[in-house]
């Protein structure tokens, strides 16, 4: 038998070693950064963030309509963030005499209940039936406005990609209720309809009443309504003989226009 040549044995041994290394390398697990996601692992932070804020994104305040009760108006303002009520406050509530004590006891409880429930489905406070009913009514109107604003914002975002800045403010129709302005003779609150960026209608929801105030309100309010539509702003003159009512009207009108973006 022929003996293997020493050089030949060295070559064969080297080839076997190289083959073994190649085989080991081929069995090493893949380290592709995407393999964890593909296998159901943690999603990279960039992918975990939703590209769409949705109707719950952002934060803002919305004021419900003032609800009249046997003991005075109740009006609720909400702070909404990410689609949830984060704060509720009564900007108007019955006051004077026994109402002061009832309001001081009931309103904080109703505020907490509204935040906890996230809706107007809350229980009345014992001993404050009328205040609770007015609170719930105003709270619901605030929630309705928040929902309408969210829906309007979603539609605008979907269709206004190429619109000029500010162009969307002049499109569509909005009905906006201003804050109730307190005057020496009672609250004044205005609701405005804005269409095409212009005031098309103004309605006074609250105005001083009782005794002499009935006559003043009946004379002044229609004039103030017409003046607001004509001027297209809150820059209107006071009605002679109705200084306080006019001032409250302008204040509420301005707050409504501020909600419409000026």
């Amino acid at each position: 038998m022929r003996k293997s040549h020493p050089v030949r044995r060295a070559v064969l041994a080297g080839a076997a070693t190289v083959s073994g290394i190649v085989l080991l390398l081929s069995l090493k697990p893949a380290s592709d950064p995407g393999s964890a996601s593909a296998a159901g692992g943690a999603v990279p932070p960039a992918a975990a963030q939703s590209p769409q804020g949705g109707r719950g994104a952002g934060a803002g305040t919305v004021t419900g309509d003032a609800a009249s009760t046997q003991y005075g108006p109740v009006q609720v303002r909400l702070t909404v963030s990410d689609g949830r009520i984060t704060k509720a406050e009564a900007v108007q509530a019955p006051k004077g005499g026994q109402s002061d004590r009832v309001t001081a006891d009931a309103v904080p409880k109703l505020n907490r209940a509204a935040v906890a429930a996230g809706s107007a489905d809350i229980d009345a406070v014992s001993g404050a039936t009328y205040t609770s009913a007015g609170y719930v009514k105003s709270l619901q109107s605030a929630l309705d406005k928040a929902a309408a604003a969210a829906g309007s914002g979603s539609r605008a975002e979907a269709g206004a990609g190429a619109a000029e800045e500010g162009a969307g403010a002049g499109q569509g129709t909005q009905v906006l209720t201003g804050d109730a302005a307190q005057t020496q003779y009672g609250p004044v609150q205005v609701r405005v309809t804005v269409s095409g960026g212009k005031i098309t209608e103004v309605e006074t929801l609250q105005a001083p009443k009782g005794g002499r105030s009935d006559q003043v309100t009946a004379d002044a309010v229609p004039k103030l309504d017409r003046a607001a539509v004509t001027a297209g702003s809150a820059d209107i003159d006071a009605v002679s003989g109705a200084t306080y009512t006019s001032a409250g009207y302008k204040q509420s009108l301005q707050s409504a226009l501020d909600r419409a973006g000026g």
Side-chain angles (χ1 to χ4, degrees):
M1 180 181 294
R2 294 176 56 188
K3 293 184 179 180
S4 298
H5 195 279
V7 175
R8 183 180 179 187
R9 286 199 302 271
V11 171
L12 291 174
T17 301
V18 171
S19 299
I21 293 172
V22 171
L23 180 60
L24 288 173
L25 290 175
S26 67
L27 295 175
K28 184 179 179 181
S31 58
D32 183 357
S35 62
S37 175
V43 179
Q49 298 174 354
S50 173
Q52 297 180 356
R55 57 182 289 178
T61 60
V62 59
T63 304
D65 295 339
S68 297
T69 77
Q70 184 174 332
Y71 297 101
V74 181
Q75 188 175 34
V76 178
R77 176 183 294 148
L78 299 178
T79 300
V80 180
S81 179
D82 292 327
R84 300 189 177 200
I85 299 174
T86 58
K87 181 180 179 183
E89 56 184 324
V91 294
Q92 285 195 86
K95 57 185 177 180
Q98 178 71 11
S99 292
D100 288 339
R101 185 184 66 80
V102 174
T103 292
D105 174 67
V107 166
K109 294 178 181 178
L110 292 166
N111 288 339
R112 290 193 295 268
V115 173
S119 71
D121 186 16
I122 59 177
D123 294 330
V125 173
S126 178
T129 305
Y130 291 102
T131 297
S132 298
Y135 187 101
V136 168
K137 184 176 180 181
S138 182
L139 171 60
Q140 185 60 61
S141 75
L143 291 170
D144 291 343
K145 291 177 184 179
S152 175
S154 297
R155 290 192 297 272
E157 183 179 358
E164 291 183 350
E165 181 180 359
Q171 299 175 354
T173 299
Q174 294 176 287
V175 179
L176 305 136
T177 302
D179 295 336
Q182 299 298 329
T183 77
Q184 183 174 333
Y185 298 101
V188 181
Q189 187 176 35
V190 176
R191 176 183 291 158
V192 180
T193 301
V194 179
S195 181
K198 295 183 178 182
I199 298 175
T200 58
E201 182 180 356
V202 183
E203 177 186 3
T204 302
L205 303 179
Q206 290 192 81
K209 58 184 178 181
R212 170 75 175 160
S213 292
D214 289 339
Q215 180 183 343
V216 173
T217 292
D219 174 66
V221 165
K223 294 178 180 178
L224 291 167
D225 289 343
R226 290 194 295 269
V229 173
T230 301
S233 71
D235 186 17
I236 58 178
D237 293 331
V239 174
S240 178
T243 304
Y244 291 103
T245 297
S246 298
Y249 185 101
K250 293 171 66 175
Q251 183 180 338
S252 183
L253 173 60
Q254 185 62 60
S255 72
L257 293 175
D258 287 343
R259 292 192 175 99

